[in-house]
Amino acid sequence: MSVTRNTRSVPAYVFGQGAFAELGSLVDARRPGAALFYVDSFFQNTPLLQELPARSGDAVVLVDASREPTVEDVDALAEAARAARSGGMSLCSLVGVGGGSVLDITKAVANLLTNPGKAEEYQGWDLVKNPAVHKIGVPTLSGTGAECSRTCVLTNMRRRLKLGMNSDFTLFDQLLLDPSLTRTAPRAQFLFTGMDTFMHCFESSRGAYRNTIVDVLAASAAALCREIFLGPGDMMDDDKREKMMVASYLGGMAAGNVGLVHPFSAGLSIVLHIPHGRANCHALSVLGEFYPEESALLSEILARQKVRLPKGICADLTEDQYEALYQGTIIHEKPLANALGEDFRAILTRPKVMELFRKM
Amino acid sequence: MSVTRNTRSVPAYVFGQGAFAELGSLVDARRPGAALFYVDSFFQNTPLLQELPARSGDAVVLVDASREPTVEDVDALAEAARAARSGGMSLCSLVGVGGGSVLDITKAVANLLTNPGKAEEYQGWDLVKNPAVHKIGVPTLSGTGAECSRTCVLTNMRRRLKLGMNSDFTLFDQLLLDPSLTRTAPRAQFLFTGMDTFMHCFESSRGAYRNTIVDVLAASAAALCREIFLGPGDMMDDDKREKMMVASYLGGMAAGNVGLVHPFSAGLSIVLHIPHGRANCHALSVLGEFYPEESALLSEILARQKVRLPKGICADLTEDQYEALYQGTIIHEKPLANALGEDFRAILTRPKVMELFRKM
């Protein structure tokens, strides 16, 4: 094992059923100034919006997270926030309330409020130069690890890839982890997103780039996922949703060195705009020759939780689309090498990759 | 489960065999200013001292950690550092290199450099008013969790108790976790200190005050301890010492709500000046009626690792000393209630407590 880089983690969390009631005091501790809340539009016309501790002068922005966030989404939101600031609004904190997409958008906008230019200029490793605006993450769906990762994944259609602003400045300053916020999540989405934790944890544990801290966190989070999705009771019982929030938080700290699932998943998201969690499941469903145990486990979980993963999603694609799927997958050299070694192209030939997509 | 307080963790770590070589760059990132190194005097005349990245103008203080640190120790070190500062030394960081005692001393002095008065004025919950001087923790022995806890336990003989400065400001700002630094630890001390992790983890998991994050971390760390002390190979093999460092780090985040072991252990440390790790083992060795599985496990581990725990340590004590042991134990109401409920005095009567000490 080599020495890790200096690894940062989110410095503070409040955790527990009902923790949402503490959001006001966390924001108030940052005042004076206005808070800017980015809330998943899923919560429009729900009590959560009324319970938001927004004060006079604060702004609440509803964010459509039904599709993966793009660099353009972030640029537009950052532009609006910059305009509000030039208009005299003094920002004390950005608060992201939602799933991985809303959390990632909040992180990206916070970076752009202290760094000039467009979102895509910061997609990559350590390109963010100045510390971001203070930000608080409030996940309402568990699994992506966006609440504790140092990245925010944005789709860039011009470059035809999904890439994060990978930076210590991207980390949230504060988390509020309230499992009761995931109670209303749609069942399939709860499973697909929760399984993201399982995916990046087992991929980390299988890869070439590892360390003991990450291994232990990944194993704990993966074990929680098995318990949640295959243990007695329903995956959406209170105690299971609580465990899923913990699995996402601990597993998120173990993410980073993924394997085959994430590159195939990224291809699907780029070409077919399939959300990340479900795209992972499509990918793992055809990767049985590489991950036999985990692929079988996914089938067992889907059957047990009565969630259907559509089949034939690549049935009617054009050759251009297949080529785009191939390119959108093979570009992810680091995770592919982590899983298969530097010579991964000898295994993942163009026909092989296309055959796998055809099977989805 | 209730909502946790806002829980802070050490924001950054560098981890791995050989990570010590990174200490210079971590300190340099804090310069200009002088670094103050507190190093366990165990390392006098060892290569570690030469490898310390101390520059001209820095100070290296050897700390005798053969006994538990007292408030007077900390006051004296803080006075010296304050004097150096008034003499024109500008401090950029305190660096603690040692076991739990040295780490706790470093944390306590850092608090006293920004808060006036004596150490004992800050023993208790959230009494530290001002953020401490920047500090880096470099453990050379694993198990106490001092590297990641929000306390620093100091013996106060005037008040006849061990009590920490329990504060968010007590947390280190940076950790450097290099398992190669534990290679020279004496065998018995390695076991006794490592078992501290097992003790606070199983006690947390058994108590009334719990949450799922702490439960998962405690279970992971306790499982690592079993593997280290009872798995194949020797407990001091490279991979085992590496796992022990991770167990201490993750388990330290789960500490806080201990049970019966720690109060009895504190009594021993106050009256007989037995170091914390070994005192824990003495305590657990006679607590079989409360913790049958864990007490048996301790015996198995001692036998397997060929480490002797002295017996009869309370054989020749006076009645006054027994009374002091009783008082030094029963004063820890919160952990005793965590283990036995609010009515713990009905179980832990004076004769019962004394009988347990007699059996050690």
Side-chain angles (χ1 to χ4, degrees):
Chain A
M1 192 197 76
S2 56
V3 173
T4 68
R5 63 181 168 77
N6 198 8
T7 305
R8 299 208 152 260
S9 38
V10 176
Y13 66 78
V14 178
F15 169 58
Q17 303 272 356
F20 192 67
E22 304 298 316
L23 182 56
S25 67
L26 293 176
V27 174
D28 287 350
R30 301 295 308 174
R31 298 191 194 267
L36 185 43
F37 297 85
Y38 293 113
V39 181
D40 194 319
S41 53
F42 175 81
F43 292 103
Q44 199 165 13
N45 306 317
T46 71
L48 181 134
L49 268 194
Q50 295 145 37
E51 288 161 21
L52 218 56
R55 286 199 195 173
S56 162
D58 291 351
V60 178
V61 179
L62 290 173
V63 176
D64 174 13
S66 60
R67 57 179 180 74
E68 305 267 282
T70 66
V71 287
E72 290 81 9
D73 294 337
V74 168
D75 286 333
L77 290 167
E79 208 38 64
R82 283 167 177 162
R85 273 180 135 183
S86 350
M89 184 194 211
S90 157
L91 274 179
C92 72
S93 189
L94 302 194
V95 183
V97 183
S101 295
V102 174
L103 298 182
D104 277 357
I105 283 173
T106 306
K107 293 155 86 175
V109 172
N111 281 340
L112 288 184
L113 290 179
T114 53
N115 292 275
K118 299 285 193 184
E120 73 170 6
E121 296 170 45
Y122 302 100
Q123 286 185 292
W125 190 268
D126 283 340
L127 301 176
V128 182
K129 294 290 171 253
N130 306 308
V133 169
H134 183 272
K135 54 195 177 296
I136 303 175
V138 186
T140 62
L141 195 61
S142 306
T144 64
E147 66 275 30
C148 58
S149 75
R150 76 189 297 274
T151 193
C152 50
V153 182
L154 304 175
T155 300
N156 184 328
M157 284 311 291
R158 198 181 58 77
R159 294 170 66 189
R160 293 190 80 79
L161 51 75
K162 286 173 67 178
L163 196 60
M165 297 180 183
N166 211 314
S167 162
D168 284 344
F169 298 134
T170 304
L171 278 167
F172 278 109
D173 299 287
Q174 172 76 52
L175 295 179
L176 189 151
L177 304 173
D178 184 347
S180 67
L181 299 178
T182 68
R183 194 182 296 133
T184 54
R187 198 168 170 83
Q189 207 176 345
F190 181 85
L191 185 148
F192 294 143
T193 307
M195 284 297 283
D196 191 9
T197 292
F198 180 75
M199 305 281 179
H200 51 243
C201 285
F202 95 74
E203 289 192 285
S204 288
S205 310
R206 292 296 209 82
Y209 316 125
R210 295 167 57 185
N211 76 63
T212 306
I213 293 179
V214 162
D215 279 357
V216 172
L217 291 171
S220 300
L224 282 171
C225 289
R226 284 169 195 255
E227 184 185 340
I228 292 156
F229 294 115
L230 290 175
D234 187 80
M235 65 175 180
M236 295 194 68
D237 289 344
D238 280 1
D239 64 315
K240 297 292 176 52
R241 285 185 296 96
E242 185 169 311
K243 283 177 177 162
M244 191 63 242
M245 195 160 264
V246 173
S248 179
Y249 170 64
L250 297 179
M253 293 191 231
N257 291 316
V258 291
L260 294 176
V261 171
H262 279 74
F264 279 86
S265 170
L268 287 175
S269 290
I270 285 290
V271 180
L272 301 177
H273 308 289
I274 296 176
H276 178 62
R278 176 153 73 87
N280 284 345
C281 292
H282 287 299
L284 183 57
S285 73
V286 300
L287 290 169
E289 67 193 283
F290 302 101
Y291 302 128
E293 190 198 328
E294 291 82 2
S295 190
L297 197 81
L298 172 64
S299 304
E300 191 184 345
I301 286 171
L302 290 166
R304 168 71 198 281
Q305 300 296 339
K306 300 186 175 55
V307 169
R308 205 180 69 86
L309 184 68
K311 289 299 286 181
I313 54 166
C314 298
D316 306 314
L317 302 188
T318 63
E319 279 313 300
D320 279 1
Q321 283 178 305
Y322 270 110
E323 179 62 24
L325 284 171
Y326 170 71
Q327 295 296 346
T329 300
I330 211 77
I331 197 172
H332 296 277
E333 300 183 347
K334 202 183 158 204
L336 295 171
N338 185 37
L340 299 175
E342 294 301 326
D343 214 19
F344 64 86
R345 280 191 182 76
I347 302 165
L348 291 183
T349 59
R350 179 181 267 106
K352 177 70 186 175
V353 170
M354 295 199 177
E355 175 207 325
L356 289 168
F357 277 112
R358 276 199 187 85
K359 283 167 71 181
M360 285 181 192
Chain B
M1 190 197 77
S2 56
V3 174
T4 68
R5 66 184 166 74
N6 198 10
T7 305
R8 301 208 151 260
S9 39
V10 177
Y13 67 78
V14 178
F15 169 58
Q17 303 272 357
F20 192 67
E22 304 299 315
L23 183 56
S25 66
L26 293 175
V27 175
D28 287 350
R30 301 296 307 175
R31 299 193 193 266
L36 186 43
F37 296 85
Y38 292 114
V39 182
D40 194 320
S41 53
F42 175 82
F43 291 104
Q44 199 164 14
N45 306 319
T46 71
L48 181 133
L49 267 195
Q50 295 145 35
E51 288 161 20
L52 217 56
R55 285 197 195 175
S56 162
D58 291 352
V60 178
V61 178
L62 290 174
V63 176
D64 175 12
S66 60
R67 56 180 180 73
E68 305 267 282
T70 65
V71 286
E72 289 82 9
D73 294 337
V74 168
D75 286 334
L77 290 168
E79 208 38 64
R82 283 167 176 161
R85 273 180 135 183
S86 350
M89 186 192 210
S90 157
L91 274 179
C92 71
S93 188
L94 302 194
V95 183
V97 183
S101 296
V102 174
L103 298 182
D104 277 357
I105 283 173
T106 306
K107 292 154 85 175
V109 172
N111 282 340
L112 287 184
L113 290 179
T114 53
N115 292 276
K118 299 284 193 183
E120 73 171 5
E121 295 169 46
Y122 301 100
Q123 286 186 293
W125 190 267
D126 283 340
L127 301 176
V128 182
K129 295 290 169 252
N130 306 308
V133 170
H134 183 273
K135 54 195 176 296
I136 303 175
V138 186
T140 61
L141 195 60
S142 306
T144 64
E147 65 275 30
C148 57
S149 75
R150 77 189 298 274
T151 193
C152 50
V153 182
L154 304 175
T155 301
N156 185 327
M157 284 311 291
R158 198 182 57 77
R159 294 169 66 189
R160 292 191 81 79
L161 50 74
K162 284 173 69 178
L163 196 59
M165 297 179 183
N166 212 314
S167 161
D168 284 344
F169 298 133
T170 304
L171 279 167
F172 278 110
D173 299 286
Q174 171 77 53
L175 295 178
L176 189 150
L177 304 172
D178 183 347
S180 67
L181 298 178
T182 68
R183 193 181 298 133
T184 54
R187 199 167 168 83
Q189 207 177 346
F190 181 84
L191 185 147
F192 294 143
T193 307
M195 284 297 283
D196 190 10
T197 293
F198 179 75
M199 304 282 179
H200 52 243
C201 286
F202 95 74
E203 289 192 284
S204 288
S205 310
R206 291 296 208 83
Y209 316 125
R210 294 167 58 184
N211 76 62
T212 307
I213 294 179
V214 162
D215 279 357
V216 172
L217 291 172
S220 300
L224 282 172
C225 290
R226 283 169 196 256
E227 185 185 337
I228 292 157
F229 293 116
L230 290 175
D234 187 80
M235 66 177 179
M236 295 195 68
D237 289 344
D238 279 1
D239 64 316
K240 297 292 177 49
R241 285 184 296 96
E242 185 169 312
K243 282 177 178 160
M244 193 61 243
M245 196 160 263
V246 173
S248 179
Y249 170 65
L250 298 178
M253 294 191 230
N257 290 316
V258 292
L260 293 176
V261 171
H262 279 74
F264 278 86
S265 170
L268 286 176
S269 290
I270 285 290
V271 180
L272 301 178
H273 307 289
I274 295 176
H276 179 61
R278 177 154 72 87
N280 283 345
C281 292
H282 287 300
L284 183 57
S285 74
V286 301
L287 290 169
E289 67 193 282
F290 303 100
Y291 302 128
E293 191 197 328
E294 291 82 3
S295 190
L297 198 81
L298 172 64
S299 305
E300 191 185 344
I301 286 171
L302 290 167
R304 168 71 199 282
Q305 299 297 338
K306 301 186 175 55
V307 169
R308 206 180 70 86
L309 184 68
K311 288 300 286 182
I313 54 166
C314 297
D316 306 314
L317 302 188
T318 63
E319 279 313 300
D320 278 1
Q321 283 177 304
Y322 270 112
E323 180 61 24
L325 284 171
Y326 170 71
Q327 295 297 346
T329 301
I330 211 76
I331 197 173
H332 295 277
E333 300 181 348
K334 203 183 158 204
L336 295 172
N338 185 37
L340 300 175
E342 294 301 327
D343 214 18
F344 64 86
R345 279 191 183 77
I347 302 166
L348 292 182
T349 59
R350 180 180 267 108
K352 177 69 187 175
V353 170
M354 296 200 177
E355 175 207 324
L356 289 168
F357 277 112
R358 277 198 187 88
K359 284 168 71 181
M360 286 180 190

